[in-house]
Every structure is written in structure tokens, then in C-alpha cells.
Amino acid sequence: MRFSEFSLTTLKEVPAEAEIVSHQLMLRAGLIRRLASGLFTWMPLGLRVLRKVEAVVREEMDRAGALELLMPAVQPAELWQESGRWDKYGPLLLRMQDRHQRDYCFGPTHEEVITDVARKELRSYKQLPVNYYQIQTKFRDEIRPRFGVMRSREFIMKDAYSFDIDEAGLEASYQKMHAAYTAIFKRLGLIFRVVDADSGEIGGSRSQEFHVLADSGEDAIAYCDDDNYAANIESAATLPPEGTRAAATAELTKVETPAARSIDALCDMLAVTAQQTLKTLIVEGTDGPVALALRGDHELNAVKAQKIPGVATPLTMADAETVRKVTGCEPGFAGPIGLDIPVFYDHATANMADFVCGANESDMHYTGTNIGRDIEAVATVDLRNVVSGDPTPGGNGTLSITRGIEVGHIFQLGDKYSQAMNATVQDSEGKDSVMSMGCYGIGITRIVGAAIEQNHDDNGIVWPAPLAPFDVVLVPINMHRSDTVREAAEALYEELQNAGLDVLFDDRNTRPGVMFADAELIGVPHRLVISERGLQAGELEYRQRSDEESRNLKREAALNLLKESVIS
Ligand code: ATP
Ligand code: MG
């Protein structure tokens, strides 16, 4: 590609709307342009990267025996009513009507459509296993689209769905996808981790996520290499604490805590640590509000909380009016003593003694609170996020926390959809048998952002070679004044292209500094500088994007190096 014909506008300034580096660099390098909230155009340069991701994904899916198809993006409501998700999916689902006032949605995922395909298409166990996949546009009306293509509303997903005669078949199909995903993320040159996950909206039994590790990742991952454990913090279980509760030493005392609505303010006022406090959160329940009680320094885990019978899904904090009604005081002073609604206590509260909690009176707390004396001792539940240093669920190590970007997710769905939608085949005895399903997603567009989060420096993107929009950039110095340089550059351009490389030939009549800066910003892995002085010595200046220094190489040596690096 000749740069002069590529119409690329790079930006020097960091765009104000972009919070994280990948979003900034994608805008600056001209990979994407924003249309509206969570909607982006993939510009020619960005699309080249996207196509490379797709190609690797497609190759590995095909290699794993999956069959590509393409389903409609728009889906009739009837299918979602059949699976029961039309009402459950909530505001993430973009709903619409056609001219006959029939309901449709823009697909956020395709379990319903593929199950409909499978129940019509597959008749006999002899046709199984089957794994269908597509690479296609999804829409999810995210509450907070951000980070550019990383959490957008419209995005491209590779979604695959396996159909098996039984659980054992599903397990085999699932493991195949596990292996294919591992191969994909390795080939893309990304540092990633596979973690146990919650199955969320999609449902089913077992699921694992593939995370690209990056400090800016939205997900926290708890892991322990010694215990061979890794899980999304959403689903990493906590254990009830070891040992026994210390005996009460303090009297229950009501103290004034004016305006101490937060744990921090309370700790300052009473000179206690957050560990010595109990926070009581009033949330919506299925049968009126309920309370969740946690140690002050712990974070509530919404995924765990909404699984507790009696707690409403999705987890919703009670509004101020409800809090006033159930506690008789202003929000910020709720506590379990005398509270007349169900209270669920986190495991970690079991060993607390002499602690501080709200008194259900405005501007008042209790100190010296004790379980068994002031509050009835009850069975505790897992309500909080694990923290660094917690024991692993197996109990054989301690957890560390790192951050990741979810780029893939594999699920064992079992018969959740096939049962609801009656997707059966005849088994070996001629009886109808509900198929076992798995589903497997990869965020194609998100991968591009995630790759940049992991691979950049102060000057721009440093693409892992398999993702780079171009393999090599040619930077001729003063080509518009020197025929020698022009001829040498044109010949190189020709020869490298013939060798199968994607070449960006910077033939613009502009300063070398501008060309260098653009080449670094867009992250081309290899650069060759062609100058009159170099040519006189039969040399080209070569630099790898990830290297500090450039080196002079004989023309042949430079060409061989490039051909080898790109082909290997
Ligand atoms: P998240 O937890 O990040 O919202 P999810 O678990 O809801 O994602 P899945 O249903 O597992 O997403 O979808 C499969 C893959 O699609 C995800 O692993 C992710 O890579 C990608 N994906 C999901 N939502 C988005 C989005 N809003 N923007 C870009 N990619 C997305
Ligand atoms: Mg997911």
C-alpha cells in the first residue's frame, strides 16, 4: 500500500474522550472513528487488523472441526419468548418492531436462533457432534459503553454452538474449544489466562473465560499458581473463616456519629479500622427489601448476592425512601439490631467481635456489638469479593489478584435451551433425546483493544506481528528529490510484496520525522529506511518496532531477515 493513496489521518493530541491507552491510540492512529455512544466505524487501517484477528480465529475454528454459517442479526421475539429470555434479558436487549408491529430484537447473542436451526436441521444422533460458528455483529445496549471498542454497544463476536447427544459428548466438544481458544490467543501473541467464571445471563453449568492480562482490565482475577486455581472475582468463592470468634469484651453502647454515612467517615470519627465495622446494605428482595451485612472493608459481590434466594435479580440497592421505611432513619445508619427484615450475613462476619454497626437511628451507631449476645448467631453466606491473601477455595494456597480483559468465554449449557425449545434428535434406540449444548464466544473487536493495552509504548502501538496492519514500512529519505532513493524504494516495495509481505510504502512528500512518528504510532513491526548515504554503502537502516536501536544491514541481509520473520 502506498501511504499517499491510503488516506490516513493520524492525531498528535490525545483525544479527551478516551480514558485508556488503547482507546487513545486507536483514535490517534486512525483505526476507528466514533459515530455515537458505543458505535464505531472501523477505518481502513483498523479493518486490516480486525481481518487478521478474524483470519486466525476462523482458521483455528475450522481446524477444530467447527462449521461456519451466518445467522440473521435481527431475531423474532417468539424465539426469545420460547426460551424465556424475552422478559429476563432486560434493557441490554435492543427491541424493535417491524411495520406489522411484530416484536424483534437485534441479537446480543444467538442461542435461540441456533437452537431453532439445530432442531430443524438435525434428526439423528448420527449427525452429532456438530459445532456451528459465525463471525457477526452483535448489539448490546450497554449501560456504560466505554473504552472504545472494548465495551461498545455494537461489536463483532465469533460465536460457536456445539450440539451433542449427551453430557460426555458435550464435555469433549467443550475441551476441543478450550484447546482451540488456547491456540488462537497464543497465535495472536497475547498474554492470557483461563479462569473459572460465572455463567451469567446465558446460563448453564460450567464456564471459563479467557482474559488478556492488563492493568486497565475491567475484571479482577483471583489466582493461585500453587493451587492451580484461577477464577473471575465474580465467582471466586470465599470460605468461612477458620478458628472461633473472640469473646465479647465491650458493652453494647450507642454513640453519636453525626453525618458519618460512609465507612471511611465512621472510622475517622470513632478511630477504628474498617475491619472493626459492619456495613448493612438494604437491597430489593423478591418479597420486600432484605439486608446484606458485610465487614466494613469488604466489597459486596453482586453476582453472589443475587443468587441468594429472596434477593432480587439483578441486584438493586433499595432507594432512600425504602431505607427510611425499613430502618426508621436516614440512609447510612442501618444496622442489624432490631431490623425487621431478613438479614444475610457474609461468612467473614462470623468471627467479628466488639464491632461497630449502624443503630437504625439517624447519626447514631453502636459500638461493642457482639454476635450471639446483641445479634442472633445465624448461618453465614458468601457475599463478598475475595481479596489478596484469602485462602483458595481448595484451601491449599493463598489468592493473588490481577486484572484482565475478557476476550473469550466458553460455556457448557447442557439442555437449558434445547429443553425449553424442544431440540431433540433420535438416539440409537430411536427415542427422542434432548441435545446437550455448549456455546463459545470470542470478542473479535475487543481483542484489538486488548492487544494494544498489552502492547504499546510512549510512541504508539507495538503490534504483535500476527495482528499488524502491515508487516513492514518503507521510509525513503528525500525520495522526491533523489531518483536513486526513489528507484531503490520502488524496487524494494515490489520485491517485498512479491515475497508475500504486507508493505506500507511511505511515499508522501513529507519530513522524515513525520514519517517516523506515524510508523511508530500505527505500530508497524519492521521499518526500513532508504537513504542516499545508505545506498552508497549498499545498506538499509533496519529497526524492529519493539527495539530501542536501529542497525544498518546489507540489502540482501535485510530482505532475508524480513522474509524469515514474517513467514515464521
Ligand atoms: P462482559 O462481562 O465483558 O460484559 P459478557 O460476559 O457479557 O461480557 P459474553 O456473553 O461472554 O460477554 O460474550 C462473549 C464475548 O464477547 C466476551 O467474552 C467479550 O469478549 C465480547 N463482548 C461482550 N460484550 C462486549 C461489548 N459490549 N463490547 C465488546 N465486546 C464484548
Ligand atoms: Mg462472558
mmCIF file of all heavy atoms in Angstrom, residues 16-60:
data_model
loop_
_atom_site.group_PDB
_atom_site.id
_atom_site.type_symbol
_atom_site.label_atom_id
_atom_site.label_comp_id
_atom_site.label_asym_id
_atom_site.label_seq_id
_atom_site.Cartn_x
_atom_site.Cartn_y
_atom_site.Cartn_z
ATOM 1 N N ALA A 16 -9.683 13.749 24.205
ATOM 2 C CA ALA A 16 -10.127 13.916 25.598
ATOM 3 C C ALA A 16 -11.104 12.838 26.027
ATOM 4 O O ALA A 16 -11.143 12.451 27.189
ATOM 5 C CB ALA A 16 -10.757 15.293 25.766
ATOM 6 N N GLU A 17 -11.895 12.310 25.069
ATOM 7 C CA GLU A 17 -12.941 11.370 25.494
ATOM 8 C C GLU A 17 -12.390 9.978 25.792
ATOM 9 O O GLU A 17 -13.116 9.127 26.305
ATOM 10 C CB GLU A 17 -14.048 11.276 24.434
ATOM 11 C CG GLU A 17 -13.730 10.381 23.243
ATOM 12 C CD GLU A 17 -13.290 11.150 22.005
ATOM 13 O OE1 GLU A 17 -12.684 12.237 22.169
ATOM 14 O OE2 GLU A 17 -13.543 10.653 20.891
ATOM 15 N N ALA A 18 -11.113 9.737 25.477
ATOM 16 C CA ALA A 18 -10.573 8.385 25.637
ATOM 17 C C ALA A 18 -9.835 8.242 26.960
ATOM 18 O O ALA A 18 -8.834 8.904 27.192
ATOM 19 C CB ALA A 18 -9.646 8.059 24.470
ATOM 20 N N GLU A 19 -10.347 7.331 27.831
ATOM 21 C CA GLU A 19 -9.769 7.190 29.166
ATOM 22 C C GLU A 19 -8.546 6.299 29.181
ATOM 23 O O GLU A 19 -7.645 6.492 29.977
ATOM 24 C CB GLU A 19 -10.786 6.524 30.109
ATOM 25 C CG GLU A 19 -11.994 7.333 30.456
ATOM 26 C CD GLU A 19 -13.031 6.440 31.143
ATOM 27 O OE1 GLU A 19 -12.776 6.001 32.266
ATOM 28 O OE2 GLU A 19 -14.067 6.175 30.517
ATOM 29 N N ILE A 20 -8.548 5.257 28.360
ATOM 30 C CA ILE A 20 -7.433 4.306 28.469
ATOM 31 C C ILE A 20 -6.610 4.313 27.188
ATOM 32 O O ILE A 20 -7.062 4.743 26.133
ATOM 33 C CB ILE A 20 -7.896 2.871 28.805
ATOM 34 C CG1 ILE A 20 -8.851 2.352 27.741
ATOM 35 C CG2 ILE A 20 -8.524 2.798 30.182
ATOM 36 C CD1 ILE A 20 -9.142 0.871 27.888
ATOM 37 N N VAL A 21 -5.403 3.804 27.322
ATOM 38 C CA VAL A 21 -4.402 3.999 26.275
ATOM 39 C C VAL A 21 -4.810 3.361 24.950
ATOM 40 O O VAL A 21 -4.581 3.922 23.882
ATOM 41 C CB VAL A 21 -3.015 3.533 26.774
ATOM 42 C CG1 VAL A 21 -2.902 2.041 26.834
ATOM 43 C CG2 VAL A 21 -1.908 4.143 25.957
ATOM 44 N N SER A 22 -5.454 2.192 24.992
ATOM 45 C CA SER A 22 -5.808 1.547 23.724
ATOM 46 C C SER A 22 -6.829 2.387 22.961
ATOM 47 O O SER A 22 -6.740 2.524 21.738
ATOM 48 C CB SER A 22 -6.363 0.142 23.964
ATOM 49 O OG SER A 22 -7.505 0.207 24.783
ATOM 50 N N HIS A 23 -7.773 2.962 23.680
ATOM 51 C CA HIS A 23 -8.780 3.796 23.032
ATOM 52 C C HIS A 23 -8.111 5.051 22.447
ATOM 53 O O HIS A 23 -8.371 5.440 21.305
ATOM 54 C CB HIS A 23 -9.857 4.169 24.057
ATOM 55 C CG HIS A 23 -11.044 4.864 23.475
ATOM 56 N ND1 HIS A 23 -11.956 5.510 24.256
ATOM 57 C CD2 HIS A 23 -11.457 5.019 22.189
ATOM 58 C CE1 HIS A 23 -12.890 6.040 23.462
ATOM 59 N NE2 HIS A 23 -12.604 5.759 22.212
ATOM 60 N N GLN A 24 -7.208 5.644 23.231
ATOM 61 C CA GLN A 24 -6.485 6.830 22.748
ATOM 62 C C GLN A 24 -5.703 6.500 21.477
ATOM 63 O O GLN A 24 -5.769 7.212 20.474
ATOM 64 C CB GLN A 24 -5.511 7.323 23.825
ATOM 65 C CG GLN A 24 -6.208 7.856 25.062
ATOM 66 C CD GLN A 24 -5.260 8.040 26.239
ATOM 67 O OE1 GLN A 24 -4.069 7.742 26.159
ATOM 68 N NE2 GLN A 24 -5.797 8.521 27.353
ATOM 69 N N LEU A 25 -4.970 5.393 21.532
ATOM 70 C CA LEU A 25 -4.116 5.051 20.387
ATOM 71 C C LEU A 25 -4.935 4.624 19.173
ATOM 72 O O LEU A 25 -4.562 4.902 18.034
ATOM 73 C CB LEU A 25 -3.118 3.959 20.775
ATOM 74 C CG LEU A 25 -1.984 4.437 21.692
ATOM 75 C CD1 LEU A 25 -1.143 3.259 22.178
ATOM 76 C CD2 LEU A 25 -1.093 5.457 20.972
ATOM 77 N N MET A 26 -6.065 3.984 19.405
ATOM 78 C CA MET A 26 -6.893 3.585 18.256
ATOM 79 C C MET A 26 -7.438 4.815 17.538
ATOM 80 O O MET A 26 -7.541 4.829 16.306
ATOM 81 C CB MET A 26 -8.033 2.667 18.700
ATOM 82 C CG MET A 26 -7.526 1.281 19.052
ATOM 83 S SD MET A 26 -8.837 0.117 19.440
ATOM 84 C CE MET A 26 -9.352 -0.359 17.783
ATOM 85 N N LEU A 27 -7.768 5.847 18.316
ATOM 86 C CA LEU A 27 -8.236 7.091 17.690
ATOM 87 C C LEU A 27 -7.068 7.821 17.034
ATOM 88 O O LEU A 27 -7.149 8.273 15.893
ATOM 89 C CB LEU A 27 -8.914 7.991 18.727
ATOM 90 C CG LEU A 27 -10.258 7.493 19.264
ATOM 91 C CD1 LEU A 27 -10.715 8.330 20.455
ATOM 92 C CD2 LEU A 27 -11.324 7.533 18.160
ATOM 93 N N ARG A 28 -5.961 7.904 17.776
ATOM 94 C CA ARG A 28 -4.812 8.660 17.245
ATOM 95 C C ARG A 28 -4.252 8.022 15.979
ATOM 96 O O ARG A 28 -3.859 8.711 15.044
ATOM 97 C CB ARG A 28 -3.715 8.782 18.309
ATOM 98 C CG ARG A 28 -4.052 9.785 19.406
ATOM 99 C CD ARG A 28 -2.862 10.007 20.301
ATOM 100 N NE ARG A 28 -1.690 10.350 19.519
ATOM 101 C CZ ARG A 28 -0.435 10.074 19.861
ATOM 102 N NH1 ARG A 28 -0.183 9.458 21.004
ATOM 103 N NH2 ARG A 28 0.568 10.425 19.093
ATOM 104 N N ALA A 29 -4.210 6.696 15.950
ATOM 105 C CA ALA A 29 -3.647 6.005 14.785
ATOM 106 C C ALA A 29 -4.658 5.873 13.643
ATOM 107 O O ALA A 29 -4.332 5.346 12.589
ATOM 108 C CB ALA A 29 -3.141 4.625 15.203
ATOM 109 N N GLY A 30 -5.885 6.327 13.898
ATOM 110 C CA GLY A 30 -6.886 6.294 12.820
ATOM 111 C C GLY A 30 -7.423 4.900 12.542
ATOM 112 O O GLY A 30 -7.798 4.581 11.422
ATOM 113 N N LEU A 31 -7.479 4.060 13.578
ATOM 114 C CA LEU A 31 -8.035 2.710 13.390
ATOM 115 C C LEU A 31 -9.556 2.754 13.417
ATOM 116 O O LEU A 31 -10.223 1.994 12.710
ATOM 117 C CB LEU A 31 -7.555 1.763 14.494
ATOM 118 C CG LEU A 31 -6.060 1.523 14.642
ATOM 119 C CD1 LEU A 31 -5.788 0.606 15.819
ATOM 120 C CD2 LEU A 31 -5.492 0.906 13.387
ATOM 121 N N ILE A 32 -10.089 3.605 14.287
ATOM 122 C CA ILE A 32 -11.548 3.703 14.432
ATOM 123 C C ILE A 32 -11.965 5.171 14.496
ATOM 124 O O ILE A 32 -11.154 6.041 14.832
ATOM 125 C CB ILE A 32 -12.058 3.010 15.716
ATOM 126 C CG1 ILE A 32 -11.301 3.531 16.954
ATOM 127 C CG2 ILE A 32 -11.943 1.498 15.618
ATOM 128 C CD1 ILE A 32 -11.920 3.158 18.290
ATOM 129 N N ARG A 33 -13.224 5.421 14.198
ATOM 130 C CA ARG A 33 -13.826 6.735 14.418
ATOM 131 C C ARG A 33 -15.178 6.511 15.083
ATOM 132 O O ARG A 33 -15.892 5.574 14.741
ATOM 133 C CB ARG A 33 -14.001 7.488 13.102
ATOM 134 C CG ARG A 33 -12.683 7.893 12.432
ATOM 135 C CD ARG A 33 -11.945 8.988 13.197
ATOM 136 N NE ARG A 33 -10.639 9.280 12.599
ATOM 137 C CZ ARG A 33 -9.475 9.165 13.243
ATOM 138 N NH1 ARG A 33 -9.431 8.752 14.495
ATOM 139 N NH2 ARG A 33 -8.347 9.455 12.640
ATOM 140 N N ARG A 34 -15.513 7.406 16.013
ATOM 141 C CA ARG A 34 -16.764 7.270 16.753
ATOM 142 C C ARG A 34 -17.928 7.852 15.967
ATOM 143 O O ARG A 34 -17.816 8.931 15.389
ATOM 144 C CB ARG A 34 -16.618 8.014 18.083
ATOM 145 C CG ARG A 34 -17.842 7.993 18.974
ATOM 146 C CD ARG A 34 -17.547 8.814 20.231
ATOM 147 N NE ARG A 34 -18.645 8.808 21.172
ATOM 148 C CZ ARG A 34 -19.680 9.632 21.121
ATOM 149 N NH1 ARG A 34 -19.776 10.540 20.149
ATOM 150 N NH2 ARG A 34 -20.634 9.574 22.027
ATOM 151 N N LEU A 35 -19.030 7.113 15.947
ATOM 152 C CA LEU A 35 -20.245 7.629 15.319
ATOM 153 C C LEU A 35 -21.190 8.172 16.391
ATOM 154 O O LEU A 35 -21.701 9.276 16.283
ATOM 155 C CB LEU A 35 -20.952 6.512 14.539
ATOM 156 C CG LEU A 35 -22.314 6.875 13.968
ATOM 157 C CD1 LEU A 35 -22.190 7.934 12.895
ATOM 158 C CD2 LEU A 35 -23.011 5.642 13.420
ATOM 159 N N ALA A 36 -21.428 7.385 17.416
ATOM 160 C CA ALA A 36 -22.292 7.769 18.538
ATOM 161 C C ALA A 36 -21.864 6.890 19.701
ATOM 162 O O ALA A 36 -20.983 6.044 19.542
ATOM 163 C CB ALA A 36 -23.751 7.539 18.175
ATOM 164 N N SER A 37 -22.516 7.061 20.853
ATOM 165 C CA SER A 37 -22.110 6.305 22.031
ATOM 166 C C SER A 37 -22.052 4.801 21.737
ATOM 167 O O SER A 37 -23.040 4.201 21.331
ATOM 168 C CB SER A 37 -23.123 6.572 23.153
ATOM 169 O OG SER A 37 -22.883 5.694 24.214
ATOM 170 N N GLY A 38 -20.871 4.220 21.900
ATOM 171 C CA GLY A 38 -20.717 2.772 21.718
ATOM 172 C C GLY A 38 -20.817 2.288 20.281
ATOM 173 O O GLY A 38 -20.964 1.092 20.044
ATOM 174 N N LEU A 39 -20.742 3.207 19.329
ATOM 175 C CA LEU A 39 -20.809 2.845 17.904
ATOM 176 C C LEU A 39 -19.579 3.400 17.189
ATOM 177 O O LEU A 39 -19.309 4.597 17.269
ATOM 178 C CB LEU A 39 -22.072 3.424 17.249
ATOM 179 C CG LEU A 39 -23.416 3.017 17.846
ATOM 180 C CD1 LEU A 39 -24.553 3.722 17.112
ATOM 181 C CD2 LEU A 39 -23.593 1.500 17.756
ATOM 182 N N PHE A 40 -18.853 2.528 16.510
ATOM 183 C CA PHE A 40 -17.598 2.946 15.873
ATOM 184 C C PHE A 40 -17.525 2.455 14.431
ATOM 185 O O PHE A 40 -17.988 1.372 14.111
ATOM 186 C CB PHE A 40 -16.396 2.377 16.635
ATOM 187 C CG PHE A 40 -16.273 2.958 18.016
ATOM 188 C CD1 PHE A 40 -16.900 2.358 19.093
ATOM 189 C CD2 PHE A 40 -15.572 4.144 18.223
ATOM 190 C CE1 PHE A 40 -16.818 2.913 20.363
ATOM 191 C CE2 PHE A 40 -15.483 4.702 19.489
ATOM 192 C CZ PHE A 40 -16.110 4.082 20.565
ATOM 193 N N THR A 41 -16.890 3.303 13.605
ATOM 194 C CA THR A 41 -16.547 2.880 12.251
ATOM 195 C C THR A 41 -15.139 2.311 12.285
ATOM 196 O O THR A 41 -14.249 2.925 12.889
ATOM 197 C CB THR A 41 -16.574 4.091 11.297
ATOM 198 O OG1 THR A 41 -17.914 4.593 11.270
ATOM 199 C CG2 THR A 41 -16.132 3.704 9.892
ATOM 200 N N TRP A 42 -14.941 1.173 11.669
ATOM 201 C CA TRP A 42 -13.590 0.625 11.517
ATOM 202 C C TRP A 42 -13.013 1.208 10.236
ATOM 203 O O TRP A 42 -13.472 0.883 9.142
ATOM 204 C CB TRP A 42 -13.621 -0.911 11.478
ATOM 205 C CG TRP A 42 -13.844 -1.463 12.837
ATOM 206 C CD1 TRP A 42 -15.036 -1.607 13.479
ATOM 207 C CD2 TRP A 42 -12.829 -1.878 13.764
ATOM 208 N NE1 TRP A 42 -14.823 -2.098 14.754
ATOM 209 C CE2 TRP A 42 -13.482 -2.278 14.947
ATOM 210 C CE3 TRP A 42 -11.430 -1.967 13.720
ATOM 211 C CZ2 TRP A 42 -12.802 -2.746 16.070
ATOM 212 C CZ3 TRP A 42 -10.756 -2.440 14.828
ATOM 213 C CH2 TRP A 42 -11.440 -2.819 15.993
ATOM 214 N N MET A 43 -12.036 2.080 10.392
ATOM 215 C CA MET A 43 -11.406 2.724 9.243
ATOM 216 C C MET A 43 -10.502 1.700 8.538
ATOM 217 O O MET A 43 -10.195 0.650 9.099
ATOM 218 C CB MET A 43 -10.625 3.938 9.720
ATOM 219 C CG MET A 43 -11.504 5.012 10.383
ATOM 220 S SD MET A 43 -12.781 5.649 9.292
ATOM 221 C CE MET A 43 -11.773 6.698 8.227
ATOM 222 N N PRO A 44 -10.037 2.010 7.321
ATOM 223 C CA PRO A 44 -9.274 1.002 6.572
ATOM 224 C C PRO A 44 -8.105 0.388 7.358
ATOM 225 O O PRO A 44 -7.900 -0.830 7.310
ATOM 226 C CB PRO A 44 -8.771 1.790 5.361
ATOM 227 C CG PRO A 44 -9.826 2.820 5.151
ATOM 228 C CD PRO A 44 -10.303 3.208 6.523
ATOM 229 N N LEU A 45 -7.381 1.211 8.108
ATOM 230 C CA LEU A 45 -6.237 0.662 8.846
ATOM 231 C C LEU A 45 -6.711 -0.304 9.936
ATOM 232 O O LEU A 45 -6.155 -1.392 10.104
ATOM 233 C CB LEU A 45 -5.417 1.797 9.468
ATOM 234 C CG LEU A 45 -4.092 1.366 10.092
ATOM 235 C CD1 LEU A 45 -3.091 0.944 9.025
ATOM 236 C CD2 LEU A 45 -3.490 2.488 10.949
ATOM 237 N N GLY A 46 -7.752 0.097 10.671
ATOM 238 C CA GLY A 46 -8.289 -0.745 11.734
ATOM 239 C C GLY A 46 -8.869 -2.036 11.177
ATOM 240 O O GLY A 46 -8.706 -3.114 11.764
ATOM 241 N N LEU A 47 -9.532 -1.912 10.046
ATOM 242 C CA LEU A 47 -10.163 -3.086 9.453
ATOM 243 C C LEU A 47 -9.122 -4.140 9.057
ATOM 244 O O LEU A 47 -9.367 -5.341 9.160
ATOM 245 C CB LEU A 47 -10.995 -2.682 8.230
ATOM 246 C CG LEU A 47 -11.928 -3.775 7.700
ATOM 247 C CD1 LEU A 47 -12.949 -4.188 8.755
ATOM 248 C CD2 LEU A 47 -12.630 -3.318 6.426
ATOM 249 N N ARG A 48 -7.942 -3.664 8.652
ATOM 250 C CA ARG A 48 -6.883 -4.642 8.322
ATOM 251 C C ARG A 48 -6.537 -5.476 9.547
ATOM 252 O O ARG A 48 -6.305 -6.680 9.440
ATOM 253 C CB ARG A 48 -5.616 -3.907 7.834
ATOM 254 C CG ARG A 48 -5.779 -3.218 6.498
ATOM 255 C CD ARG A 48 -4.491 -2.503 6.123
ATOM 256 N NE ARG A 48 -3.494 -3.421 5.614
ATOM 257 C CZ ARG A 48 -3.285 -3.664 4.326
ATOM 258 N NH1 ARG A 48 -4.010 -3.053 3.414
ATOM 259 N NH2 ARG A 48 -2.358 -4.514 3.954
ATOM 260 N N VAL A 49 -6.484 -4.835 10.719
ATOM 261 C CA VAL A 49 -6.164 -5.553 11.951
ATOM 262 C C VAL A 49 -7.306 -6.525 12.294
ATOM 263 O O VAL A 49 -7.079 -7.699 12.609
ATOM 264 C CB VAL A 49 -5.932 -4.571 13.120
ATOM 265 C CG1 VAL A 49 -5.599 -5.326 14.399
ATOM 266 C CG2 VAL A 49 -4.823 -3.575 12.769
ATOM 267 N N LEU A 50 -8.505 -6.003 12.204
ATOM 268 C CA LEU A 50 -9.686 -6.821 12.509
ATOM 269 C C LEU A 50 -9.728 -8.078 11.636
ATOM 270 O O LEU A 50 -10.013 -9.182 12.108
ATOM 271 C CB LEU A 50 -10.934 -5.966 12.253
ATOM 272 C CG LEU A 50 -12.205 -6.351 12.963
ATOM 273 C CD1 LEU A 50 -12.016 -6.336 14.465
ATOM 274 C CD2 LEU A 50 -13.319 -5.382 12.570
ATOM 275 N N ARG A 51 -9.426 -7.916 10.372
ATOM 276 C CA ARG A 51 -9.432 -9.054 9.444
ATOM 277 C C ARG A 51 -8.374 -10.091 9.821
ATOM 278 O O ARG A 51 -8.552 -11.281 9.613
ATOM 279 C CB ARG A 51 -9.197 -8.581 8.007
ATOM 280 C CG ARG A 51 -10.330 -7.741 7.465
ATOM 281 C CD ARG A 51 -11.533 -8.596 7.076
ATOM 282 N NE ARG A 51 -12.601 -7.784 6.510
ATOM 283 C CZ ARG A 51 -13.767 -7.540 7.099
ATOM 284 N NH1 ARG A 51 -14.033 -8.048 8.286
ATOM 285 N NH2 ARG A 51 -14.684 -6.806 6.509
ATOM 286 N N LYS A 52 -7.248 -9.585 10.359
ATOM 287 C CA LYS A 52 -6.195 -10.534 10.770
ATOM 288 C C LYS A 52 -6.668 -11.355 11.963
ATOM 289 O O LYS A 52 -6.416 -12.549 12.035
ATOM 290 C CB LYS A 52 -4.908 -9.782 11.102
ATOM 291 C CG LYS A 52 -4.345 -9.078 9.872
ATOM 292 C CD LYS A 52 -2.849 -9.171 9.786
ATOM 293 C CE LYS A 52 -2.428 -8.777 8.383
ATOM 294 N NZ LYS A 52 -1.023 -8.494 8.238
ATOM 295 N N VAL A 53 -7.333 -10.685 12.908
ATOM 296 C CA VAL A 53 -7.876 -11.417 14.062
ATOM 297 C C VAL A 53 -8.868 -12.465 13.560
ATOM 298 O O VAL A 53 -8.797 -13.646 13.928
ATOM 299 C CB VAL A 53 -8.593 -10.463 15.044
ATOM 300 C CG1 VAL A 53 -9.218 -11.247 16.187
ATOM 301 C CG2 VAL A 53 -7.629 -9.414 15.576
ATOM 302 N N GLU A 54 -9.771 -12.022 12.702
ATOM 303 C CA GLU A 54 -10.785 -12.945 12.176
ATOM 304 C C GLU A 54 -10.153 -14.149 11.491
ATOM 305 O O GLU A 54 -10.610 -15.275 11.655
ATOM 306 C CB GLU A 54 -11.677 -12.232 11.149
ATOM 307 C CG GLU A 54 -12.685 -11.299 11.767
ATOM 308 C CD GLU A 54 -13.505 -10.560 10.712
ATOM 309 O OE1 GLU A 54 -13.321 -10.815 9.499
ATOM 310 O OE2 GLU A 54 -14.319 -9.726 11.116
ATOM 311 N N ALA A 55 -9.087 -13.895 10.732
ATOM 312 C CA ALA A 55 -8.468 -14.984 9.968
ATOM 313 C C ALA A 55 -7.902 -16.047 10.904
ATOM 314 O O ALA A 55 -8.082 -17.248 10.673
ATOM 315 C CB ALA A 55 -7.371 -14.427 9.056
ATOM 316 N N VAL A 56 -7.247 -15.617 11.971
ATOM 317 C CA VAL A 56 -6.684 -16.581 12.918
ATOM 318 C C VAL A 56 -7.812 -17.362 13.596
ATOM 319 O O VAL A 56 -7.768 -18.591 13.713
ATOM 320 C CB VAL A 56 -5.811 -15.852 13.978
ATOM 321 C CG1 VAL A 56 -5.416 -16.798 15.102
ATOM 322 C CG2 VAL A 56 -4.568 -15.258 13.316
ATOM 323 N N VAL A 57 -8.851 -16.636 14.007
ATOM 324 C CA VAL A 57 -9.973 -17.289 14.681
ATOM 325 C C VAL A 57 -10.626 -18.300 13.741
ATOM 326 O O VAL A 57 -10.888 -19.457 14.107
ATOM 327 C CB VAL A 57 -10.997 -16.237 15.165
ATOM 328 C CG1 VAL A 57 -12.278 -16.897 15.647
ATOM 329 C CG2 VAL A 57 -10.389 -15.369 16.263
ATOM 330 N N ARG A 58 -10.850 -17.886 12.506
ATOM 331 C CA ARG A 58 -11.501 -18.755 11.530
ATOM 332 C C ARG A 58 -10.666 -20.017 11.290
ATOM 333 O O ARG A 58 -11.184 -21.131 11.300
ATOM 334 C CB ARG A 58 -11.670 -17.962 10.237
ATOM 335 C CG ARG A 58 -12.747 -18.468 9.345
ATOM 336 C CD ARG A 58 -13.011 -17.502 8.201
ATOM 337 N NE ARG A 58 -14.270 -16.803 8.375
ATOM 338 C CZ ARG A 58 -14.418 -15.486 8.349
ATOM 339 N NH1 ARG A 58 -13.377 -14.691 8.184
ATOM 340 N NH2 ARG A 58 -15.603 -14.952 8.503
ATOM 341 N N GLU A 59 -9.371 -19.822 11.111
ATOM 342 C CA GLU A 59 -8.502 -20.974 10.839
ATOM 343 C C GLU A 59 -8.538 -21.995 11.972
ATOM 344 O O GLU A 59 -8.640 -23.197 11.734
ATOM 345 C CB GLU A 59 -7.053 -20.500 10.684
ATOM 346 C CG GLU A 59 -6.624 -20.382 9.237
ATOM 347 C CD GLU A 59 -5.206 -19.845 9.153
ATOM 348 O OE1 GLU A 59 -4.277 -20.434 9.768
ATOM 349 O OE2 GLU A 59 -5.052 -18.826 8.478
ATOM 350 N N GLU A 60 -8.478 -21.486 13.198
ATOM 351 C CA GLU A 60 -8.445 -22.426 14.331
ATOM 352 C C GLU A 60 -9.811 -23.066 14.568
ATOM 353 O O GLU A 60 -9.889 -24.214 15.000
ATOM 354 C CB GLU A 60 -7.936 -21.724 15.600
ATOM 355 C CG GLU A 60 -6.473 -21.286 15.515
ATOM 356 C CD GLU A 60 -5.490 -22.453 15.301
ATOM 357 O OE1 GLU A 60 -5.763 -23.582 15.757
ATOM 358 O OE2 GLU A 60 -4.452 -22.230 14.655
#
